[in-house]
Every structure is written in C-alpha cells, then in structure tokens.
Amino acid sequence: MGLFDSLCRRYQSLFAHAHPEEAKLVELHSIGQAESFLAAYFAHEYRKGADAVARFASLSSEWQGGRALDFGCGAGGLTYRIAEHCREVVGIDIEQYKLDFTAAQGERLNVSNARFVCSASETLPFADASFDCIFCIDVIEHLSTPERFVAEFLRVLRPGGQLLLSFGPPWGHAHGKHMWAKLPGWWTHLLFPRPAVMRAAGFPPQTTWEELGIHRLTVGHFERVMRRSRFQPVYRRLLINKLVAPLRFVPLVRELFIAEVIGVYRKPTKGIA
Ligand SMILES: C[S@@+](CC[C@H](N)C(=O)[O-])C[C@H]1O[C@@H](n2cnc3c(N)ncnc32)[C@H](O)[C@@H]1O
C-alpha cells in the first residue's frame, strides 16, 4: 500500500461519524439482500420525498393538480409523494430492478395514479408538451450530459410548465463524492489522488468517478447549463452552512461550501413548441 493510500485511510478514521442511514443502506446493498435494500431505500426516499414535495409546494402552487414527470425516480418514494398532489405521475429511471419493486408499492399505499417507465435513452420516451411539471431531485449530478436532459425537459413540458429541481452536494462540497458512509472525510476526493480514494472506498484503484455515477457537477457548471437553456428562472437558492454563508458570493471558493442547489424554472409560454 502506498503513502497516499495509508494517509487517505487514516484521514477517514478522523471522521468516525458516518451517516447511520447511509451506512445501513451500503451494508444491505453490499451483502446482496436486494429486497431488504429496496425496502429500506424506498422508506428513505418516501420520507425525503415528503420534504421535497412540501418544499416545492411552498415555493409554487402552479405545478399541483396536473400531470407530473418524476425524472430519475429511483425506488419511487418521491413519486408516490408527488402522486398525492398531481392528477397523474410518471416515474422514469434507468434501473429496472428498482422500478419492479416500486410498481408493487402502489397497491400497498393505495395509490393508483402513479406509473413507471424504464429508459436509459437521452431522448425521453414522451410526446412534446405532455407534462405540466417535472421533478428532478438529486439526479442531475448523476448525468453525463445534463444539458441534453435539460433540453428534453423543455421539450416534454407544456408551455408555462415548471421544472422543480434540486441536487447536492455538488462536486466541490466536502461530501461532493456522495459516499457519506464509505468516505466520511471532508473533501477526500479533492485532497487525495483518485486511486487512493477508490481503494479507501473499497473499489479497484482504476475506477473512475463516472463509473460510479458521479459526474462531478459543480454549481458553476449547473448554472451555465440552465443559462444556456431556454428555461426562465422562477426561484433559485444555494444552501450553505450559516457559519460560512458570506462565502457563497466568492467565486470558486463558494464551490467548497454550497451543500444544495434548489431551483424552480418555467418553460416560456411563447417561442418554443
Ligand atoms: C440519488 S437517486 C434519486 C432518486 C429520487 N429522485 C429521490 O430523490 O429520491 C438518482 C436516480 O437517478 C437515476 N438516473 C441516473 N441517470 C438517469 C437517467 N439518464 N435517466 C433516468 N434516471 C437516471 C438513478 O438510477 C437513480 O435511481
């Protein structure tokens, strides 16, 4: 084991407070208990989904009552929360095994207005202007071509329809590596060479971030994608710890501390089909 490997492992041990819920999910996943993992993952998303829906309901009422798309729906916990506020919701994800599990939850929850579609295509399998709103929660940082999907969101939304989006932590944040349990150390991914980081996380050293579904999305990159799109911003918030709040105005340095990006965007009513 090289010097960086040993330093990286020691650094992790300084942060013994691994997120307990994340640690449980990682454990269930690693021991191959698919059903238990999905049940725990669904419960986690269902709880988190209630907060996400409440947050966007407090920011805008325009999206409620219509037809919704839940892009990157995972095990569908959020999708069923959206169903409580919309006429119909379609959850889409690339992972069929999650959708098989979640489709079966509708009966248990007594929800009949949610359905699920599996697609890995960069072209969404939906007609133009067929949704009133799109939820994209904790997904955009996992896309290799976010601009391509943002263009698709614009296409499938009706004019005046809303994109409700949040993601985080962005790449520059202490937890931008999205491995709270395996790599609890702050900014490990920026402080150590990738092979050492991957070994410390239990992956082969040649593993890339992209192979783990982490596409290193920064706040700046996300803002450029949205500026270049035809979406009109309705609301935007950058969540940052109060102790360092003024740093959100400092270019580049802000990337280290912004924990979450929240935005509501509207498709223009004129000029786009
Ligand atoms: C962190 S989970 C978020 C799940 C859910 N939105 C939530 O907030 O609970 C990210 C999800 O995005 C999905 N995903 C990644 N790339 C995707 C793509 N190109 N199209 C659809 N879903 C995708 C993943 O399979 C995963 O289920």
Side-chain angles (χ1 to χ4, degrees):
M1 201 174 13
L3 176 65
F4 282 122
D5 290 297
S6 122
L7 283 175
C8 187
R9 279 172 208 258
R10 278 181 195 212
Y11 182 64
Q12 301 318 305
S13 64
L14 300 175
F15 298 81
H17 57 277
H19 193 288
E21 191 172 349
E22 169 86 6
K24 184 78 199 155
L25 288 175
V26 169
E27 188 201 328
L28 287 172
H29 195 256
S30 64
I31 58 179
Q33 292 195 1
E35 273 297 307
S36 320
F37 165 71
L38 284 168
Y41 185 51
F42 180 87
H44 162 75
E45 286 184 346
Y46 195 58
R47 266 197 309 279
K48 200 176 77 113
D51 297 338
V53 165
R55 169 188 275 169
F56 286 107
S58 74
L59 294 176
S60 162
S61 57
E62 282 177 37
W63 59 270
Q64 299 182 53
R67 184 166 190 257
L69 176 65
D70 181 13
F71 178 78
C73 63
L78 169 68
T79 321
Y80 284 109
R81 294 298 191 181
I82 298 169
E84 294 166 6
H85 296 257
C86 289
R87 176 167 47 82
E88 187 195 357
V89 56
V90 180
I92 184 168
D93 204 281
I94 52 174
E95 298 194 304
Q96 182 67 53
Y97 79 100
K98 289 183 186 165
L99 300 179
D100 290 342
F101 175 87
T102 196
Q105 304 306 306
E107 205 170 315
R108 181 175 69 79
L109 295 168
N110 201 19
V111 176
S112 57
N113 60 341
R115 65 182 184 88
F116 297 91
V117 174
C118 187
S119 167
S121 168
E122 286 193 339
T123 303
L124 297 179
F126 307 113
D128 296 359
S130 52
F131 291 97
D132 298 295
C133 67
I134 298 176
F135 275 77
C136 179
I137 308 298
D138 289 335
V139 184
I140 196 157
E141 70 271 48
H142 301 295
L143 304 174
S144 56
T145 53
E147 59 292 331
R148 173 79 203 132
F149 284 95
V150 168
E152 277 295 277
F153 296 161
L154 202 63
R155 179 182 69 77
V156 302
L157 270 177
R158 67 160 168 80
Q162 288 191 336
L163 169 63
L164 311 150
L165 181 148
S166 65
F167 78 96
W171 176 247
H173 184 268
H175 289 295
K177 52 198 151 28
H178 287 228
M179 285 194 222
W180 292 262
K182 288 186 174 184
L183 291 177
W186 294 353
W187 294 291
T188 306
H189 56 305
L190 304 183
L191 290 171
F192 295 92
R194 183 174 43 80
V197 176
M198 291 302 169
R199 267 201 210 95
F203 298 109
Q206 66 276 16
T207 311
T208 63
W209 288 107
E210 288 72 16
E211 281 165 347
L212 299 179
I214 305 289
H215 290 274
R216 295 182 276 182
L217 186 65
T218 60
V219 180
H221 184 181
F222 169 74
E223 288 178 336
R224 277 194 299 282
V225 168
M226 293 314 295
R227 258 200 316 274
R228 287 174 188 160
S229 78
R230 302 282 306 277
F231 273 109
Q232 298 168 335
V234 174
Y235 172 90
R236 195 195 69 145
R237 186 159 173 221
L238 302 175
L239 287 193
I240 188 164
N241 189 302
K242 272 195 207 126
L243 293 174
V244 289
L247 294 178
R248 73 172 175 277
F249 301 111
V250 184
L252 294 180
V253 174
R254 70 180 186 148
E255 295 283 354
L256 298 170
F257 299 101
I258 291 168
E260 193 177 7
V261 178
I262 304 160
V264 177
Y265 301 85
R266 184 183 288 113
K267 175 172 173 171
T269 46
K270 292 203 176 83
I272 309 180

